[in-house]
Amino acid sequence: MDVAIIGIGIHPFGRTEGVTGLEQGVHAAREALKDVGLDWNDMEFAYGGSSAAGNADSMVSKLGLTGLQFINVSNGCATGGSALQSAYMAIQSGMFDIGMAVGFDKHPRGAFTVNPEASGLGKWYGDIGMALTPQFFGMKIQRYMHEYDISEDTLIRVAVKNFRNGAKNPNAWRRNGFSYDDVAQSQMVCHPLRKYMFCSPAEGGCAMILCRADKAKQFTSNPVFLKAVAVKTRQFGSFEVFSQSQALERAPAPTVQASTAAFEMAGIGPEDIDVAQLQDTESGAEIMHMAENGFCADGDQEKWLHEGYTEIDGKLPVNTDGGCLANGEPVGASGLRQVYEICLQLRGEAGERQVPNSPKTGYTHVYGAPGLSGVTIMAA
Amino acid sequence: MRSIADQIPIADGLFTWPSNDPRLLGSKCADCGVVTFPAQSGCPACCGEDTEAIELERKGKLWTWTIQGFLPNRPPYEGPETPETFKPFGVGYVELPNQVRVETRIQTEDIAKLRIGMEMDLVVEKFIERDGKDIIAYFFRPADES
């Protein structure tokens, strides 16, 4: 049973004073229903999640108490991606015909605060000042730059590109398009990563309506088909966030496994993708994820960024909506935002940031604590 | 210098204490030989359940590093700095030969000199004072400062 995305909705990302995370999720859900012209009581099921803004299933008291199956999803930075995968499986199994995946969040300002014990670590790890995700990202790209000769210039170019794209996205948070010098001169946060190379915790909501592919045309003239969905966790030897120690032997990152599984499921390869959204928690992550997802060889990013291959008019546009850098990271909604953007691009509705020549295939990728990755492949 | 009784390790089982030559404590899988830090009961590589405690090497090489540039949130951070006195500190992974790479704070006079591959030594010393006692933690320091 193939699965289609027939409705999409979003609440603008960033900071919305006076609106709870849950209300932002409700807004996104209503927008998605409106997009396809359906009602909440048409939904047979929903999967939803947030990491810091409450239980998604409490949305039903605002959307309507229809008695549908609503399951909360909590899977770290892959919460949105996991909600989508769950919805995909619910339809693919033949159990349901139509339902919703929704995610939202509202995080306090500043770096994420981590409770080490909830992540299976000793309390001492937080006491001493090592339970900070930016340190991991700094250390991972530091090693990668050393091994593959990536320059600081390339880190800066990624950030400038994503902020430039974000300036063209009315739902993005940071829309002022930071310049090369803004990024290059911003405060050093975790060497070699500077302030404007990092995304910030934020707010937002996003929702998708999915249905059996063979019924999609009953509801919409422009369905987007989910060709593959894969979520993988770390294996022994990969270098992951919050690791008190690392093995001497090295294994591929969970992204490599999720990407490989997704391409196999879709029956296509990286060269067939027209537009991609890759997790850019910081600019180093986008660089490493270009290779981990199979789009280029390790070290080629230097050339790709210099030649503009990942710009909106390049050979593989990456993070056309500004990515996490310009949208911020509301953990529960982030993965669905990527899918929302790919749907817009494949439907030809991305406005000022539309990828030229009618893209037919799209790709999304999330990565997060404690070492998990979710990939989807979509086709018009 | 406080008496040993007034020096408390930041966590039990992380390193040998009290000791004149403290070592980090890890575990080694009886089946596949993989070493982990801190010690744990199961093996992350082969899923075996038979591990034994071992003392880790006290010298290694810096495998990667970063500099924590802002005062971490409290909780969970318990370091002694205030926003006024905070100075960026090093964090890295030190590769202990034939064992494991250990994540650690780095003690150095000069964070600008951190480089991948530099020789590092284990130090076990006071981190903070709490309830009139010294809380002892482990760090690594560039070997040329030891």
Side-chain angles (χ1 to χ4, degrees), chain B:
Chain B
M1 192 70 181
R2 290 179 194 269
S3 74
I4 278 287
D6 289 329
Q7 296 181 311
I8 312 290
I10 192 164
D12 289 334
L14 275 188
F15 43 84
T16 52
W17 192 262
S19 168
N20 293 323
D21 178 26
R23 301 295 180 108
L24 294 180
L25 290 168
S27 54
K28 184 173 185 174
C29 176
D31 296 322
C32 74
V34 154
V35 175
T36 55
F37 170 81
Q40 62 178 56
S41 59
C43 175
C46 74
C47 312
E49 294 178 20
D50 188 7
T51 61
E52 53 170 359
I54 60 164
E55 293 187 1
L56 300 182
E57 300 288 341
R58 55 174 306 281
K59 286 177 170 294
K61 284 185 176 167
L62 190 58
W63 190 78
T64 189
W65 57 276
T66 188
I67 294 166
Q68 173 62 35
F70 60 93
L71 181 62
N73 287 344
R74 312 175 186 276
Y77 187 53
E78 297 216 348
E81 308 95 323
T82 64
E84 291 71 35
T85 65
F86 177 75
K87 286 191 185 137
F89 60 81
V91 175
Y93 281 89
V94 173
E95 180 164 324
L96 306 177
N98 302 316
Q99 290 184 325
V100 67
R101 293 186 202 113
V102 170
E103 189 175 14
T104 182
R105 274 186 64 158
I106 297 168
Q107 300 284 47
T108 176
E109 302 295 317
D110 176 16
I111 52 175
K113 77 177 191 189
L114 298 180
R115 295 286 179 272
I116 287 173
M118 69 196 291
E119 303 281 343
M120 308 290 284
D121 290 343
L122 176 71
V123 283
V124 172
E125 59 182 33
K126 176 181 166 182
F127 170 53
I128 48 168
E129 226 174 277
R130 191 193 289 155
D131 304 331
K133 296 182 193 299
D134 287 349
I135 304 298
I136 308 297
Y138 75 90
F139 303 85
F140 277 79
R141 175 183 292 159
D144 63 12
E145 291 180 37
S146 294

Side-chain angles (χ1 to χ4, degrees), chain A residues 3-9 28-40 42-45 84 87 91 97-102 206-212 216 219-220 223-224 226 336 339 343 347:
Chain A
V3 178
I5 299 173
I6 54 172
I8 58 175
R30 288 185 174 138
E31 289 292 306
L33 291 165
K34 208 186 301 173
D35 181 51
V36 64
L38 289 170
D39 295 321
W40 175 241
D42 295 319
M43 298 297 104
E44 298 171 357
F45 71 87
L84 186 75
I91 294 170
D97 287 352
I98 188 164
M100 182 181 284
V102 57
C206 203
M208 316 274 133
I209 294 167
L210 293 84
C211 82
R212 288 169 54 138
F219 302 110
T220 179
V224 170
L226 266 173
L336 293 174
V339 176
C343 288
R347 283 158 51 158

Side-chain angles (χ1 to χ4, degrees), chain A residues 17-30:
Chain A
E17 296 299 333
V19 182
T20 67
L22 192 82
E23 285 163 347
Q24 296 183 37
V26 168
H27 175 90
R30 288 185 174 138

